[in-house]
Amino acid sequence: MTPELNRLAGELTSVIDDVAAAFGVPADRTVDGELDCDPTRPGHVLCWQYGVRVEHPAEPERRLSEVVLPALRHHGWESHDRSTPRELITRFTREGADFTVHVARAVTIIGSTRPVPA
């Protein structure tokens, strides 16, 4: 892993872990690793993907709107509502990184860093 990708991975992991903690119970890691981001040039552009799942979250809709959204906006993250009738979905983006919070029976958070040269 390049030093830049290592730095970006650490930042993304920290943000997603902080978001997961806002839902009040420990999260289970679902994805944590390097991803080849350009199928036309394998091995040349990489990003880091990280995700967690929070089972039985405490008041997920309220915590997303009253805790997570204001905190992330304060730190420069833009939010985009991608909700459906069956699931509350919010995508967050900043400086090429993005992650999505899915609220259904559980809370699933998954994201990736911006791509960097390998």
Side-chain angles (χ1 to χ4, degrees):
M1 179 182 329
T2 68
E4 178 68 359
L5 185 57
N6 188 47
R7 182 185 68 76
L8 294 172
E11 290 174 3
L12 179 70
T13 299
S14 178
V15 168
I16 289 177
D17 286 346
D18 288 348
V19 169
F23 293 99
V25 292
D28 296 316
R29 188 173 295 165
T30 58
V31 167
D32 187 8
E34 195 173 278
L35 187 65
D36 196 337
C37 295
D38 186 353
T40 65
R41 297 177 50 220
H44 288 88
V45 180
L46 304 173
C47 65
W48 192 263
Q49 189 174 45
Y50 183 74
V52 298
R53 182 175 174 89
V54 179
E55 295 289 345
H56 312 294
E59 303 176 288
E61 294 86 0
R62 185 188 69 76
R63 289 182 187 238
L64 179 60
S65 65
E66 295 178 15
V67 177
V68 173
L69 278 166
L72 289 174
R73 285 181 181 149
H74 177 76
H75 287 96
W77 289 88
E78 294 180 24
S79 64
H80 311 275
D81 184 13
R82 301 284 190 248
S83 298
T84 69
R86 295 178 41 195
E87 184 177 26
L88 180 62
I89 304 168
T90 305
R91 181 171 181 245
F92 295 93
T93 58
R94 184 180 78 181
E95 298 173 5
D98 69 272
F99 67 93
T100 306
V101 178
H102 297 260
V103 176
R105 286 180 287 147
V107 173
T108 304
I109 308 165
I110 188 165
S112 62
T113 65
R114 66 175 168 77
V116 298

